[in-house]
C-alpha cells in the first residue's frame, strides 16, 4: 500500500508465510561400513592395498546403522512487516528511509518427536518436546529470535543535469540453516543409531548380516 503527503511517499506492507517441512527418512537403512584392510594385511595394520580383500570377506572394521524412520512434520510461520518513506527534500535530493522486521518462527514438530540435551543442571539431561514443560523449554526446544529489525537508508542526489549520485545502506537477515532444527529430529529416544568396531578376536564368529 502507498500514501502520498506533501514531499513524502509512504509505502508499507507485510509478507506472511505458512511453512510446512516434512521429509520421512531413514539415516542408514542399509548400514554404513568401513573396510580398512587390517584383517587381511599380514602385519595386521590398516592398508588401502588390502581393503578390498576385507570387503570380499565381509569384514568391516566399523559399521553403523539406524533403521528408525524420522518424520517430524515441522510447522512454522514467518512474518515480515515493512515501511518506507521516499522523502523528496529538494528537487535534486531524495532520501529513502525504511524499516523491516523479520520474524522466522522456530519450527515445531506436529508429532513432538524432537529432543535436545540440557546441561544447566550440571549434568546432561535429555529433553523432548513431549516433556518440555518441566524443563521450561518452548515446544520448538529453541528460543525465538525476536529482535530482527532491519533499517535501511538511501539517497539520490542530482547535482547537475548529467550527474546522479546514489548510495544506500541496509541491514538484512538470512534464514537459518534447516539443520538447526532437523538435527533435533534425529536424536534419541526417537531415533537410534548403533555403531560397532570389529576387533581381530571377533572375526572367527562374525557374520556381516548381523553387523
Amino acid at each position: 500500500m502507498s500514501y502520498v503527503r506533501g514531499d513524502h511517499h509512504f509505502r508499507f506492507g507485510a509478507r506472511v508465510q505458512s511453512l510446512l517441512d516434512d521429509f520421512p527418512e531413514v539415516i542408514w537403512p542399509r548400514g554404513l561400513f568401513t573396510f580398512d584392510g587390517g584383517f587381511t594385511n599380514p602385519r595386521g595394520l590398516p592398508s588401502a592395498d588390502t581393503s578390498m580383500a576385507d570387503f570380499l570377506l565381509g569384514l568391516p572394521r566399523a559399521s553403523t546403522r539406524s533403521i528408525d524412520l524420522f518424520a517430524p512434520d515441522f510447522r512454522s510461520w514467518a512474518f515480515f512487516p515493512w515501511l518506507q518513506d521516499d522523502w523528496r527534500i529538494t528537487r535534486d535530493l531524495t532520501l529513502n528511509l525504511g524499516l523491516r522486521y523479520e520474524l522466522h518462527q522456530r519450527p515445531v514438530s506436529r508429532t513432538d518427536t524432537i529432543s535436545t540435551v540440557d546441561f544447566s543442571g550440571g549434568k546432561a539431561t535429555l529433553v523432548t518436546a513431549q516433556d518440555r514443560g518441566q524443563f521450561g523449554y518452548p515446544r520448538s526446544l529453541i528460543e525465538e529470535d525476536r529482535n530482527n529489525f532491519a533499517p535501511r537508508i538511501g539517497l539520490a542526489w542530482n547535482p547537475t543535469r548529467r550527474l546522479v549520485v546514489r548510495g544506500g545502506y541496509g541491514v538484512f537477515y538470512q534464514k537459518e540453516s534447516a539443520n538447526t532444527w532437523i538435527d533435533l529430529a534425529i536424536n534419541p529416544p526417537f531415533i537410534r543409531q548403533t555403531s560397532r568396531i570389529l576387533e581381530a578376536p571377533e572375526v572367527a564368529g562374525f557374520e556381516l548380516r548381523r553387523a
Side-chain angles (χ1 to χ4, degrees), residues 99 135 165 203:
L99 179 64
F135 298 98
V165 179
V203 169

Side-chain angles (χ1 to χ4, degrees), residues 31-148:
L32 178 67
F33 304 95
T34 301
F35 299 89
D36 66 2
F39 295 116
T40 52
N41 184 349
R43 294 181 298 171
L45 300 175
S47 172
D49 295 333
T50 54
S51 59
M52 179 57 72
D54 279 13
F55 170 74
L56 294 174
L57 292 175
L59 298 175
R61 174 66 67 182
S63 58
T64 301
R65 68 175 178 175
S66 178
I67 60 175
D68 295 324
L69 175 71
F70 71 91
D73 197 1
F74 283 118
R75 310 293 176 94
S76 64
W77 287 87
F79 180 53
F80 315 120
W82 59 271
L83 58 88
Q84 182 168 313
D85 177 19
D86 297 329
W87 179 17
R88 191 168 186 178
I89 302 175
T90 69
R91 189 174 68 175
D92 302 325
L93 177 63
T94 299
L95 190 63
N96 310 113
L97 301 172
L99 179 64
R100 177 183 172 98
Y101 176 69
E102 299 196 3
L103 174 62
H104 295 272
Q105 186 187 49
R106 304 291 188 179
V108 298
S109 169
R110 186 180 63 83
T111 56
D112 286 334
T113 51
I114 57 175
S115 64
T116 188
V117 180
D118 182 275
F119 295 94
S120 60
K123 63 177 181 179
T125 303
L126 188 66
V127 179
T128 74
Q130 299 170 4
D131 58 12
R132 63 190 183 277
Q134 60 183 296
F135 298 98
Y137 277 77
R139 188 179 179 187
S140 64
L141 302 183
I142 307 174
E143 296 294 341
E144 298 282 4
D145 182 9
R146 299 180 180 273
N147 61 350
N148 295 334

